Amino acid sequence: MLSNRGYLSGDEERFRRTTNAWYDATYINPSTVDPSIYADNPDAASWFKPTAHHLFEPIPGYLEILAAHNVPCRRYTSPSPGRVLYEDPHQLVVVPADQGDPVTTMLWLRPRT
């Protein structure tokens, strides 16, 4: 949302675009396997498996961007994050076990003026 709303600096936007492109080239997007996975499951969240070390490497750059914009961020780990909707060697898409308390929430920002 920071990018969509025009909040990122040029360097932050370059990092985001380059790194997102790397992720797109490196692992499967679950919605290409099942286009309805998120539409049919609005509380679904993707989790990297702890063995997918290479997918964790760029995360500090994203955390720097979030910190620069005062966006709180937390790392969650769980041996059982919820009901599995999709799984591949690197990630899971799950619906949280407690539907009343989803792990992730959407950040809504007004467009920068």
Side-chain angles (χ1 to χ4, degrees):
M1 294 304 291
L2 290 170
S3 175
N4 290 342
R5 300 295 186 179
Y7 280 78
L8 298 183
S9 71
D11 287 343
E12 291 168 337
E13 182 62 21
R14 274 186 290 287
F15 171 85
R16 185 194 71 78
R17 285 179 185 257
T18 301
T19 309
N20 285 4
W22 176 83
Y23 274 115
D24 289 342
T26 303
Y27 76 100
I28 298 168
N29 179 336
S31 63
T32 61
V33 176
D34 179 357
S36 65
I37 196 164
Y38 294 108
D40 291 349
N41 301 283
D43 291 333
S46 295
W47 292 64
F48 289 141
K49 291 183 175 182
T51 55
H53 302 285
H54 66 292
L55 297 178
F56 289 99
E57 291 173 9
I59 291 176
Y62 288 108
L63 296 177
E64 288 176 20
I65 291 171
L66 294 174
H69 294 275
N70 297 314
V71 177
C73 182
R74 230 182 223 164
R75 178 180 178 170
Y76 288 91
T77 61
S78 174
S80 179
R83 183 172 51 89
V84 177
L85 303 173
Y86 170 86
E87 183 172 3
D88 67 35
H90 308 294
Q91 64 187 324
L92 304 167
V93 176
V94 301
V95 175
D98 181 357
Q99 291 290 315
D101 185 24
V103 172
T104 58
T105 58
M106 181 60 71
L107 173 67
W108 296 101
L109 298 173
R110 291 185 303 258
R112 179 170 262 181
T113 56

